[in-house]
């Protein structure tokens, strides 16, 4: 894999540290990174997203969805069976996992649901009113001259 030097980006920009750090993290991640459990990220509307994670074999009580410091953290831990089972073949992975998603500014989790072995997490981007563009009305009133004194008003 080819490595890129982001030093010129750091020298030429101010306030873009998070983007540079994210690019460093993505570029330096190993290709053998854990891919369990599989997931989809879909855009459901202009400012709405859905993350779907395959969590077959986990109950609602064994799943945890948490938002902390602009990160969505999904964890699962299977409760150990008290009975002893003998497997001839074990192909369903129910091992514990932690999956992290970094959230952009103003993206918040609006809900989560678990159905048919899939955990769905809905997200929405909500830009505050103060950051939205607004139109400024231009008035056509003439400026009032305050230094000129009306001669009729003085007399």
């Amino acid at each position: 894999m080819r490595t890129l030097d982001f030093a010129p980006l750091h020298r030429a920009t101010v306030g873009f540290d998070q983007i540079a750090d994210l690019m460093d993290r993505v570029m330096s991640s190993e290709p053998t990174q854990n891919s369990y459990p599989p997931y989809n990220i879909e855009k459901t509307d202009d400012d709405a997203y859905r993350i779907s994670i395959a969590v077959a074999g986990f109950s609602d009580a064994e799943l945890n969805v948490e938002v902390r410091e602009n990160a969505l953290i999904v964890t699962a831990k299977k409760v150990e069976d008290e009975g002893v089972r003998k497997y001839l073949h074990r192909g369903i992975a129910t091992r514990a996992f932690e999956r992290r998603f970094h959230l952009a500014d103003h993206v918040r989790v609006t809900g989560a649901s678990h159905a048919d072995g899939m955990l769905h997490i809905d997200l929405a981007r909500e830009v505050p009113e103060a950051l939205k563009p607004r139109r400024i009305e231009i008035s056509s009133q003439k400026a009032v001259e305050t230094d000129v004194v009306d001669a009729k008003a003085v007399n």
Side-chain angles (χ1 to χ4, degrees), residues 133-141:
R134 58 187 176 104
R135 191 173 196 291
I136 308 298
E137 293 295 325
I138 301 172
S139 64
S140 61
Q141 297 177 356

Side-chain angles (χ1 to χ4, degrees), residues 65-80:
V65 178
E66 182 179 347
V67 176
R68 180 176 37 196
E69 298 173 3
N70 281 357
L72 171 65
I73 304 163
V74 180
T75 56
K77 183 170 173 108
K78 190 73 175 157
V79 175
E80 293 296 324

Side-chain angles (χ1 to χ4, degrees), residues 22 25 36-42 50-54 64-75 97-104 107 109 119 121 123:
L22 177 64
R25 237 187 349 255
Y36 176 77
Y39 64 93
N40 293 334
I41 301 175
E42 61 182 300
R50 172 175 266 193
I51 298 173
S52 299
I53 305 173
N64 186 36
V65 178
E66 182 179 347
V67 176
R68 180 176 37 196
E69 298 173 3
N70 281 357
L72 171 65
I73 304 163
V74 180
T75 56
F97 69 86
E98 178 179 295
R99 175 69 72 182
R100 289 178 176 262
F101 301 92
H102 295 280
L103 301 177
V107 172
V109 176
L119 175 65
I121 303 167
L123 303 111

